[in-house]
Amino acid sequence: MDSDPKSSTSPAPNPNPSKLSPSKEQHHRDLLNHVEAYLAKRDGVDKLLKISRYATKLILASSLLQSSNNPALYHRLKSFESSVGVSRKAFRLGKFVQDLNALRASHHHSNRHLLFTLLAYGGEGFYYFVEQFVWLAKSGLIDPKHARAFQKVSAWAELVGYFGSVALKLTDLNIIAEEESCLASSVEISRLRGIGCVEEESRLRKLREKKTMKRLSVVQDLADAVMALDDILDGNGPFSKPVFMASAGLLSALISTHKNWVSC
């Protein structure tokens, strides 16, 4: 229990008031360490670039900026958006190895789970592999005329990967829901009997946080899948509106940034 604030014993005066207290100093240091750890990760920088790119796309697509009103600024933002897109592809060099390792380490308990795992990690891994050639074409090392073909192949692989990823996460959500139901019942029974259940309540809280993150991840995958489908349709789909696509990309970027921040 906290001490009474009206206690007659007062704390000793701080001989150096300009210095931060240990708790505040530690909190400040932890925040900087967290930022450093986040920016040290490839995904951390990539997601910040993604936010920058789709925020710029949203500005260009909306009525906030018209090319006729300020053509110089419009072209600068367009060039910035294009450059960031190429930079993100450079950050993905070799990233397909991550999916190969995930496939090797995966454990499947049914043929359906095995299929979804192959689609998720195989599709995403092949997408990252082909994206390396897209980057080489856009940077000029490969004839740029091949860029469109590479992009089409990578978009299909990306869409397949998101299909498998969403299927896996929906399966995980069903498992989490069952665990949550059992744990919530156990906590409720313990409370009725007057038995302490601090550990169970903590597990239940973490399980619900995990469920929320998993749901956000599904939303992110769906947003990215819509953009991949738009690439396959060459921007001629019924939903291919610049503002909508830029909003989907920004939503995906914000969710992935939050996930990476929490996990690092």
Side-chain angles (χ1 to χ4, degrees), residues 93-105:
L93 289 177
K95 196 175 180 180
F96 68 93
V97 177
Q98 174 180 307
D99 292 284
L100 292 178
N101 287 331
L103 269 176
R104 292 171 57 197

Side-chain angles (χ1 to χ4, degrees), residues 55-263:
T56 304
K57 273 180 169 287
L58 188 59
I59 293 173
L60 292 171
S62 67
S63 58
L64 296 176
L65 179 66
Q66 298 294 335
S67 58
S68 57
N69 295 338
N70 196 334
L73 178 59
Y74 183 88
H75 289 300
R76 283 201 299 269
L77 287 176
K78 192 71 176 175
S79 176
F80 171 76
E81 180 270 320
S82 178
S83 297
V84 171
V86 175
S87 299
R88 289 191 64 216
K89 296 184 187 304
F91 268 98
R92 296 172 179 175
L93 289 177
K95 196 175 180 180
F96 68 93
V97 177
Q98 174 180 307
D99 292 284
L100 292 178
N101 287 331
L103 269 176
R104 292 171 57 197
S106 63
H107 301 285
H108 24 270
H109 46 74
S110 67
N111 290 334
R112 187 175 67 172
H113 191 271
L114 172 61
L115 175 62
F116 290 156
T117 301
L118 288 173
L119 290 176
Y121 294 117
E124 184 181 71
F126 189 61
Y127 159 70
Y128 284 132
F129 180 76
V130 177
E131 279 289 282
Q132 297 176 130
F133 295 97
V134 176
W135 173 68
L136 290 175
K138 286 184 174 292
S139 59
L141 188 60
I142 296 179
D143 194 332
K145 69 180 182 181
H146 300 302
R148 187 57 204 155
F150 287 136
Q151 285 178 314
K152 184 76 75 172
V153 173
S154 70
W156 274 108
E158 186 181 18
L159 185 62
V160 169
Y162 285 130
F163 175 82
S165 179
V166 170
L168 283 178
K169 288 167 184 174
L170 290 178
T171 302
D172 291 341
L173 280 171
N174 289 332
I175 296 174
I176 291 174
E178 293 176 2
E179 293 179 0
E180 181 186 8
S181 179
C182 293
L183 197 54
S185 298
S186 176
V187 169
E188 185 64 25
I189 292 172
S190 298
R191 286 174 177 171
L192 291 174
R193 293 178 177 177
I195 303 174
C197 53
V198 177
E199 183 179 348
E200 287 78 4
E201 288 177 343
S202 176
R203 287 172 54 199
L204 183 60
R205 183 173 62 255
K206 290 179 181 178
L207 197 62
R208 285 171 175 168
E209 290 174 356
K210 181 179 179 181
K211 182 176 70 173
T212 300
M213 295 299 294
K214 190 75 68 174
R215 285 175 172 174
L216 286 174
S217 188
V218 170
V219 172
Q220 177 194 343
D221 284 349
L222 290 175
D224 285 328
V226 167
M227 291 189 293
L229 185 58
D230 183 64
D231 289 338
I232 292 172
L233 298 176
D234 295 321
N236 295 319
F239 46 80
S240 301
K241 304 293 188 246
V243 172
F244 178 75
M245 301 309 300
S247 299
L250 186 58
L251 174 63
S252 170
L254 291 172
I255 292 175
S256 55
T257 298
H258 173 67
K259 283 166 39 185
N260 286 327
W261 176 264
V262 171
S263 65

Side-chain angles (χ1 to χ4, degrees), residues 26-36 261:
Q26 183 65 33
H27 175 74
H28 182 63
R29 184 162 56 246
D30 287 345
L31 176 61
L32 291 179
N33 287 337
H34 199 170
V35 172
E36 180 184 4
W261 176 264

